[in-house]
Coordinates of all heavy atoms in Angstrom, one line a residue:
L102 N -33.1 24.0 -27.5 CA -34.1 23.1 -28.1 C -35.4 23.9 -28.2 O -36.3 23.5 -29.1 CB -34.3 21.9 -27.1 CG -35.2 20.8 -27.6 CD1 -34.7 20.2 -28.9 CD2 -35.2 19.6 -26.6
G103 N -35.6 24.9 -27.4 CA -36.9 25.7 -27.5 C -37.1 26.3 -28.8 O -38.3 26.4 -29.3
E104 N -36.1 26.9 -29.4 CA -36.2 27.5 -30.7 C -36.6 26.5 -31.8 O -37.3 26.8 -32.8 CB -35.0 28.4 -31.0 CG -34.8 29.6 -30.1 CD -36.1 30.4 -30.0 OE1 -36.7 30.8 -31.0 OE2 -36.5 30.6 -28.8
L105 N -36.0 25.3 -31.7 CA -36.3 24.3 -32.7 C -37.8 23.9 -32.5 O -38.5 23.7 -33.6 CB -35.5 23.0 -32.4 CG -34.0 23.2 -32.6 CD1 -33.2 21.9 -32.3 CD2 -33.6 23.7 -34.0
V106 N -38.3 23.8 -31.3 CA -39.7 23.4 -31.1 C -40.6 24.6 -31.6 O -41.6 24.4 -32.2 CB -40.0 23.1 -29.6 CG1 -41.5 23.0 -29.4 CG2 -39.2 21.9 -29.2
R107 N -40.2 25.8 -31.3 CA -41.0 27.0 -31.7 C -41.1 27.0 -33.3 O -42.2 27.3 -33.8 CB -40.4 28.3 -31.2 CG -41.3 29.5 -31.4 CD -40.6 30.8 -31.0 NE -40.1 30.8 -29.6 CZ -40.9 31.0 -28.6 NH1 -42.1 31.3 -28.8 NH2 -40.4 31.0 -27.4
A108 N -40.0 26.7 -34.0 CA -40.0 26.7 -35.4 C -40.7 25.5 -36.1 O -41.0 25.6 -37.3 CB -38.6 26.9 -35.9
S109 N -41.0 24.5 -35.3 CA -41.5 23.3 -35.9 C -43.0 23.5 -36.3 O -43.8 24.2 -35.6 CB -41.5 22.2 -34.8 OG -42.2 21.1 -35.2
D110 N -43.4 22.8 -37.4 CA -44.8 22.8 -37.8 C -45.6 21.8 -37.1 O -46.8 21.7 -37.3 CB -44.9 22.6 -39.3 CG -44.3 23.7 -40.1 OD1 -44.3 24.8 -39.7 OD2 -43.7 23.4 -41.2
A111 N -45.0 21.1 -36.2 CA -45.8 20.0 -35.5 C -46.8 20.6 -34.5 O -46.7 21.7 -34.1 CB -44.8 19.2 -34.6
Y112 N -47.8 19.8 -34.2 CA -48.8 20.2 -33.2 C -48.0 20.1 -31.9 O -47.3 19.1 -31.6 CB -50.0 19.3 -33.2 CG -50.9 19.4 -34.4 CD1 -51.0 18.4 -35.3 CD2 -51.7 20.6 -34.5 CE1 -51.8 18.5 -36.4 CE2 -52.5 20.7 -35.7 CZ -52.6 19.7 -36.6 OH -53.4 19.8 -37.7
K113 N -48.2 21.1 -31.0 CA -47.5 21.2 -29.7 C -48.5 21.0 -28.6 O -49.5 21.7 -28.5 CB -46.7 22.5 -29.6 CG -45.7 22.7 -30.7 CD -45.2 24.1 -30.8 CE -44.3 24.3 -32.0 NZ -45.0 24.3 -33.2
I114 N -48.3 20.0 -27.8 CA -49.2 19.6 -26.7 C -48.5 19.9 -25.4 O -47.4 19.2 -25.1 CB -49.7 18.2 -26.8 CG1 -50.5 18.0 -28.1 CG2 -50.5 17.8 -25.6 CD1 -49.7 17.5 -29.2
M115 N -49.0 20.8 -24.5 CA -48.4 21.0 -23.2 C -49.1 20.3 -22.2 O -50.4 20.3 -22.1 CB -48.5 22.6 -22.9 CG -47.9 22.9 -21.6 SD -48.4 24.6 -21.0 CE -47.7 25.6 -22.3
I116 N -48.4 19.6 -21.3 CA -48.9 18.9 -20.1 C -48.1 19.4 -19.0 O -46.9 19.1 -18.8 CB -48.9 17.4 -20.2 CG1 -49.7 16.9 -21.5 CG2 -49.4 16.8 -19.0 CD1 -49.7 15.4 -21.7
D117 N -48.7 20.3 -18.1 CA -47.8 21.0 -17.1 C -48.7 21.5 -15.9 O -49.9 21.6 -16.0 CB -47.2 22.2 -17.8 CG -46.2 22.9 -16.9 OD1 -45.3 22.3 -16.3 OD2 -46.4 24.1 -16.7
H118 N -48.0 21.9 -14.9 CA -48.6 22.3 -13.7 C -48.0 23.6 -13.1 O -48.1 23.9 -11.9 CB -48.7 21.2 -12.6 CG -47.3 20.8 -12.1 ND1 -47.0 20.5 -10.8 CD2 -46.2 20.5 -12.8 CE1 -45.8 20.1 -10.7 NE2 -45.2 20.1 -11.9
H119 N -47.3 24.4 -13.9 CA -46.6 25.6 -13.5 C -47.5 26.8 -13.8 O -48.3 26.8 -14.8 CB -45.2 25.7 -14.1 CG -44.3 24.7 -13.6 ND1 -44.1 23.5 -14.2 CD2 -43.5 24.6 -12.5 CE1 -43.2 22.7 -13.6 NE2 -42.9 23.4 -12.5
L120 N -47.2 27.9 -13.1 CA -48.0 29.1 -13.3 C -47.6 29.8 -14.6 O -46.5 29.6 -15.2 CB -47.7 30.1 -12.2 CG -48.2 29.8 -10.8 CD1 -47.5 30.7 -9.7 CD2 -49.7 30.0 -10.7
D121 N -48.5 30.6 -15.2 CA -48.3 31.5 -16.3 C -47.7 30.8 -17.5 O -46.6 31.2 -18.0 CB -47.3 32.6 -15.9 CG -47.8 33.4 -14.6 OD1 -49.0 33.6 -14.6 OD2 -47.0 33.8 -13.8
P122 N -48.4 29.9 -18.2 CA -47.9 29.3 -19.4 C -47.8 30.2 -20.6 O -48.6 31.1 -20.7 CB -49.0 28.2 -19.6 CG -50.2 28.7 -19.0 CD -49.8 29.4 -17.8
E123 N -46.8 30.0 -21.3 CA -46.6 30.7 -22.6 C -47.5 30.2 -23.7 O -47.7 29.0 -23.7 CB -45.1 30.6 -23.0 CG -44.7 31.3 -24.3 CD -43.3 31.0 -24.8 OE1 -42.6 30.3 -24.0 OE2 -43.0 31.3 -25.9
D124 N -47.9 31.0 -24.5 CA -48.9 30.6 -25.6 C -48.1 30.1 -26.8 O -48.2 30.7 -27.9 CB -49.8 31.7 -26.0 CG -50.8 32.1 -24.9 OD1 -51.2 31.1 -24.1 OD2 -51.1 33.2 -24.7
F125 N -47.5 29.0 -26.7 CA -46.8 28.4 -27.9 C -47.5 27.1 -28.3 O -47.2 26.5 -29.3 CB -45.3 28.1 -27.6 CG -45.1 27.0 -26.6 CD1 -45.1 25.7 -26.9 CD2 -44.9 27.3 -25.2 CE1 -44.9 24.7 -26.0 CE2 -44.7 26.3 -24.3 CZ -44.7 25.0 -24.7
D126 N -48.5 26.6 -27.5 CA -49.0 25.3 -27.7 C -50.3 25.3 -28.5 O -51.0 26.3 -28.6 CB -49.3 24.6 -26.3 CG -50.0 25.6 -25.3 OD1 -49.8 26.8 -25.4 OD2 -50.8 25.1 -24.5
D127 N -50.7 24.1 -29.0 CA -51.9 23.9 -29.7 C -53.0 23.2 -28.9 O -54.1 23.1 -29.2 CB -51.7 23.1 -31.0 CG -50.7 23.8 -31.9 OD1 -51.0 24.9 -32.4 OD2 -49.6 23.3 -32.2
Y128 N -52.5 22.5 -27.9 CA -53.4 21.8 -26.9 C -52.7 21.9 -25.5 O -51.5 21.7 -25.4 CB -53.6 20.4 -27.3 CG -54.5 19.6 -26.4 CD1 -55.9 19.7 -26.5 CD2 -54.0 18.8 -25.4 CE1 -56.8 19.1 -25.6 CE2 -54.8 18.1 -24.5 CZ -56.2 18.3 -24.6 OH -57.0 17.6 -23.7
R129 N -53.5 22.1 -24.5 CA -53.0 22.3 -23.2 C -53.8 21.5 -22.2 O -55.0 21.7 -22.0 CB -53.0 23.8 -22.8 CG -52.4 24.1 -21.5 CD -52.4 25.6 -21.2 NE -51.8 26.3 -22.3 CZ -51.8 27.7 -22.4 NH1 -52.5 28.4 -21.5 NH2 -51.2 28.3 -23.4
H130 N -53.1 20.6 -21.5 CA -53.6 19.9 -20.3 C -52.9 20.4 -19.1 O -51.7 19.9 -18.9 CB -53.5 18.4 -20.5 CG -54.3 17.6 -19.5 ND1 -55.7 17.8 -19.3 CD2 -53.9 16.7 -18.6 CE1 -56.1 17.0 -18.3 NE2 -55.1 16.3 -17.9
W131 N -53.4 21.3 -18.4 CA -52.7 22.2 -17.5 C -53.5 22.4 -16.2 O -54.7 22.7 -16.3 CB -52.3 23.5 -18.2 CG -51.7 24.5 -17.3 CD1 -50.4 24.7 -17.0 CD2 -52.4 25.7 -16.7 NE1 -50.2 25.8 -16.2 CE2 -51.4 26.4 -16.0 CE3 -53.7 26.1 -16.8 CZ2 -51.7 27.6 -15.4 CZ3 -54.0 27.3 -16.1 CH2 -53.0 28.0 -15.4

Side-chain angles (χ1 to χ4, degrees):
L102 189 56
E104 292 311 308
L105 298 177
V106 172
R107 190 186 302 278
S109 169
D110 292 329
Y112 292 110
K113 302 170 185 69
I114 296 92
M115 178 196 298
I116 301 179
D117 183 56
H118 64 137
H119 294 92
L120 292 166
D121 305 321
E123 177 187 352
D124 291 326
F125 67 85
D126 48 327
D127 300 295
Y128 179 82
R129 182 179 303 172
H130 191 56
W131 172 81

